[in-house]
Amino acid sequence: MVTVCGVLSGASPATAATPPSLRFANPDSQALYGTAYTAALDNLLRRNTLAYDPRYNRSGLQDPAVGFVRAGGGYQQPWTRDASINSWNAASQLSPALAENTLWAVVDRDSTGALRVQQDDQQWDQVVWLTAAWHHYLVTGDREFLGNAYDTARNTLTIRENAGNAGFNATYGLFTGASFFNDGIAGYPAPPADATESVSTGSMPWPGIASGMYLSTNEVYYAAYVNAANMADRLGRAREAAGHRSKAAALKAAINRHFWNPATGLYDYQLLADGTRGAYQEGTGLAFAILFGVANPDRARSIVANARGMKWGMPDTFPHWDRYSEAQPGRHNAIVWPLVQGLWAKALARQGDQAKFAAETARLAKLANNNSGFWEIYNGTTGVVDGGYQRLGDTVKFHWGSEPDQTWSATAFLDMVHTGLFGLRYGDAGLTFAPTLPAGWGDVTLRNLRYRDADLTISLRGAGTTIRSVTVDGRPSRPEIPATLTGAHTVEITLTGATGGDRDGDGAADARDRCPDTAGTVSGCPAPAHLEAEDALNTGGVKTNVNHTGYSGRAFVDGLWAQGASSAFTVHRAAAGQGTGAVTVRYANAHNDARTMTLSVNGSVVRQVSFPKVSDSWDSWGTVTFDDVPVNGRDAVVTFSYEQGDTGAVNFDRLSYSGS
């Protein structure tokens, strides 16, 4: 059980001043995954790391010299669930001191001074903190932290077991209350909701939800008991550990008895208090079933085979409830949250499904790269930044926003790389490796990875999940390093057994496809004659949108409104030498004057270019062609950026390149 729940982790530098770097030999993989990885590090370690705030030191255990991680660009607080997920996904290894402060930021003390996870209004997800805390101990080996964490864990479990709201239902042997992730009513079918969401935007004011039982919540409790037992064992409290394990075993049996559905080959999402079952799909619940070991091997395989994803990833809940639709997806319904994608990708890697792991990871990398970073929610069909629909106050089907710089969206991708691609697994004795390197991604190296007192460079060669050879500092080794290792070391792992396939369906086998996760005709990459702006590398606030008509593809991009904004298009060429061509851009400009931007190729400025007014409407599109644009290399990058002296503020629809 130690391994089952102890390896749900992220990895990266601990207290290193320099974060890790990811480098693929394949330039297209580097452009896709390497770019997203760098953005994710920036999201966690710069944008969302705040200075110490005494308001969050109610435990008295924080270090005033260290900050904490907030929930995201629109959320200044740490929040229990977010703090736990972000530490678990990545922060504990990227910066242990930061992760520890973040975990203590959501812990307080009762009237007797006893530690407990803060008793806020989202009681049902408090115990996920235990899994994050156990993981933090495995990463750091910090015994002092473990002692305080166990006190917090034991006290919090006791509170929840005896709670009248979101507590334990002895009849079913399950915990009640909302699902782990779905704090909004849009995450629930009717019943227990109704067609107009008449009671509340939140989930717990609904009696049927408060008394209902949900898959993911009970799995999080199962993991909490397992990890509480692990903590007690390490602290020499064998009797307490046995008690936690007994409760874990009973809860696991109840989950499998009440939620497994042989007809669908999946676990059901909900069980109402009257015994009514809901045979719906919950993304986090299915992922947890695999990751926590709730599902036996046969059921785990069945989950992977039968779970339904959307075009842009594993949805939160599925399918659309009757009150929602493709045109108006629910905020917590058939819509993509990167947090869910990350958990699902980790489960896929654990199952050894390279193709599905690669596809899910590619989707999140594209969503980040196309939209200036990691947003909160995306439309599952179009990939457009979209907060979905849900009641707000008296407004039914209010269209919510999607917040930028969402921390757990970024840490989800970091975890895809660390525990999926590189297969990092943490245990008492040290760090082991179980990589998943899909065909077509190419060799990859992760540098400056801090693990306790060691500084690691880890290289993966070949493709697959079967380890053919491992060397540490050039000497043959097992795929592991001890927790006592110190200093700088190089780990090289050669893999084999990659599954054959054509993930993007373009006729080029993954192993020979330059862009195995993006369909195209130029060595498996998109042809330069038609490059959609929503597929470009968009930065500085540029993002996808659909609030105007007449665009081609799945969306257009806006946000080219301030200096630093840019859209970069990779022009895949058959030749690698010097060439010259024409670049045509389809765009919208409803200003009264022409707008200017700077055209660059491979980072070198070519010239300032002008986009004349098209009409008075942003629904109208025009084209402009720029001749004599020099290019070189097989993958020339043509960038339009808003630089000093430019006026910008146009929308882009697509680009085409013609020439040598």
Side-chain angles (χ1 to χ4, degrees):
M1 303 304 293
V2 174
T3 302
V4 167
C5 291
V7 296
L8 296 178
S9 55
S12 300
T15 55
T18 303
S21 63
L22 184 70
R23 178 61 59 178
F24 287 86
N26 180 337
D28 292 293
S29 293
Q30 183 61 31
L32 180 58
Y33 304 107
T35 299
Y37 184 81
T38 300
L41 289 174
D42 180 73
N43 177 295
L44 174 65
L45 298 176
R46 187 177 68 85
R47 293 178 182 272
N48 287 316
T49 293
L50 303 185
Y52 170 79
D53 186 334
R55 291 178 301 170
Y56 298 117
N57 194 13
R58 294 174 302 235
S59 67
L61 295 172
Q62 284 189 316
D63 181 351
V66 179
F68 71 95
V69 177
R70 67 178 180 176
Y75 309 106
Q76 296 297 315
Q77 308 91 337
W79 286 358
T80 301
R81 185 175 48 185
D82 299 70
S84 303
I85 290 293
N86 289 323
S87 297
W88 178 24
N89 273 350
S92 286
Q93 185 82 30
L94 284 164
S95 179
L98 178 65
E100 183 172 339
N101 255 26
T102 302
L103 289 170
W104 291 135
V106 295
V107 170
D108 62 17
R109 295 179 184 269
D110 66 15
S111 59
T112 69
L115 292 165
R116 62 186 185 178
V117 175
Q118 63 186 5
Q119 298 299 294
D120 54 25
D121 63 351
Q122 297 198 10
Q123 310 94 328
W124 63 90
D125 66 4
Q126 288 168 358
V127 297
V128 72
W129 188 93
L130 279 71
T131 293
W134 172 245
H135 166 68
H136 186 79
Y137 166 71
L138 289 178
V139 173
T140 64
D142 187 335
R143 295 279 297 186
E144 181 180 359
F145 171 84
L146 181 65
N148 287 321
Y150 179 61
D151 288 343
T152 305
R154 182 183 54 188
N155 295 337
T156 302
L157 283 170
T158 299
I159 292 170
R160 299 278 23 105
E161 290 167 349
N162 295 283
N165 191 31
F168 187 70
N169 183 324
T171 300
Y172 292 98
L174 296 167
F175 282 88
T176 64
S179 79
F180 158 79
F181 185 56
N182 294 315
D183 52 7
I185 188 56
Y188 300 87
D194 61 33
T196 61
E197 301 182 353
S198 62
V199 174
S200 170
T201 296
S203 56
M204 285 297 284
W206 291 76
I209 295 172
S211 63
M213 290 145 283
Y214 291 86
L215 176 63
S216 59
T217 295
N218 281 278
E219 291 166 329
V220 168
Y221 271 90
Y222 167 71
Y225 281 124
V226 170
N227 291 326
N230 292 336
M231 293 178 186
D233 269 339
R234 299 314 176 276
L235 295 169
R237 302 180 186 183
R239 180 175 296 180
E240 293 179 32
H244 295 312
R245 287 204 171 88
S246 176
K247 292 176 180 178
L251 185 53
K252 179 178 179 180
I255 293 170
N256 278 292
R257 181 167 60 253
H258 293 297
F259 287 100
W260 179 253
N261 189 333
T264 62
L266 301 169
Y267 288 91
D268 289 345
Y269 170 40
Q270 72 177 11
L271 172 65
L272 300 183
D274 64 3
T276 302
R277 293 177 59 159
Y280 310 108
Q281 177 179 299
E282 182 193 19
T284 55
L286 297 182
F288 286 154
I290 294 172
L291 293 170
F292 293 148
V294 172
N296 64 30
D298 287 342
R299 290 183 177 181
R301 286 189 290 270
S302 178
I303 290 170
V304 172
N306 292 296
R308 292 183 59 190
M310 301 185 74
K311 182 175 181 180
W312 283 96
M314 174 57 65
D316 178 3
T317 57
F318 195 80
H320 290 285
W321 313 139
D322 290 342
R323 62 192 188 275
Y324 295 120
S325 64
E326 286 286 302
Q328 294 184 329
R331 181 170 174 82
H332 290 278
N333 191 202
I335 202 164
V336 169
W337 291 71
L339 163 68
V340 181
Q341 288 184 288
L343 292 168
W344 181 241
K346 180 159 49 180
L348 293 169
R350 188 67 56 82
Q351 283 298 106
D353 195 319
Q354 299 166 62
K356 289 182 179 179
F357 165 75
E360 198 70 36
T361 304
R363 291 181 186 115
L364 183 49
K366 291 174 184 176
L367 289 173
N369 291 346
N370 300 161
N371 293 284
S372 297
F374 293 87
W375 291 70
E376 183 181 26
I377 320 173
Y378 302 87
N379 186 290
T381 301
T382 65
V384 171
V385 172
D386 186 350
Y389 288 79
Q390 180 175 259
R391 180 185 182 89
L392 180 64
D394 294 329
T395 304
V396 177
K397 284 194 175 180
F398 178 84
H399 195 186
W400 290 60
S402 176
E403 296 291 347
D405 297 324
Q406 187 75 11
T407 316
W408 64 19
S409 298
T411 62
F413 187 76
L414 293 171
D415 200 26
M416 287 175 166
V417 172
H418 297 148
T419 68
L421 175 58
F422 284 88
L424 303 183
R425 306 285 188 266
Y426 300 91
D428 279 332
L431 179 65
T432 61
F433 305 95
T436 299
L437 179 56
W441 281 17
D443 296 350
V444 59
T445 298
L446 184 63
R447 291 184 172 85
N448 196 39
L449 180 80
R450 293 287 303 181
Y451 170 63
R452 299 195 181 185
D453 293 323
D455 189 343
L456 305 177
T457 296
I458 307 170
S459 295
L460 304 181
R461 306 283 182 259
T465 58
T466 301
I467 295 177
R468 190 171 70 192
S469 66
V470 181
T471 63
V472 177
D473 300 329
R475 294 185 295 273
S477 173
R478 294 173 58 84
E480 59 189 32
I481 60 168
T484 55
L485 193 68
T486 62
H489 300 275
T490 299
V491 179
E492 294 190 356
I493 303 173
T494 301
L495 298 159
T496 189
T499 54
D502 179 13
R503 289 192 296 273
D504 55 22
D506 62 2
D510 294 335
R512 299 186 301 275
D513 193 338
R514 283 170 58 197
C515 305
D517 296 291
T518 305
T521 57
V522 179
S523 301
C525 295
H530 188 115
L531 301 174
E532 291 287 346
E534 63 269 25
D535 296 324
L537 173 59
N538 295 306
T539 59
V542 182
K543 65 175 181 61
T544 53
N545 211 334
V546 291
N547 65 343
H548 295 294
T549 63
Y551 57 84
S552 65
R554 58 188 174 88
F556 64 92
V557 297
D558 61 18
L560 289 158
W561 301 323
Q563 288 185 27
S566 69
S567 289
F569 300 80
T570 299
V571 176
H572 298 285
R573 305 167 62 222
Q578 296 283 343
T580 302
V583 172
T584 299
V585 180
R586 188 171 191 254
Y587 70 99
N589 175 12
H591 296 288
N592 290 325
D593 58 350
R595 313 299 281 189
T596 60
M597 297 192 72
T598 297
L599 169 62
S600 303
V601 176
N602 294 339
S604 297
V605 173
V606 175
R607 61 182 181 269
Q608 187 182 66
V609 293
S610 178
F611 295 86
K613 177 179 179 178
V614 175
S615 77
D616 290 326
S617 170
W618 289 101
D619 295 322
S620 297
W621 301 87
T623 61
V624 60
T625 298
F626 309 114
D627 294 316
D628 301 321
V629 177
V631 296
N632 65 286
R634 295 182 71 191
D635 304 293
V637 179
V638 176
T639 303
F640 292 91
S641 58
Y642 191 146
E643 304 292 342
Q644 186 174 3
D646 291 329
T647 53
V650 295
N651 293 340
F652 279 176
D653 182 36
R654 65 172 184 258
L655 175 145
S656 64
Y657 173 85
S658 61
S660 60

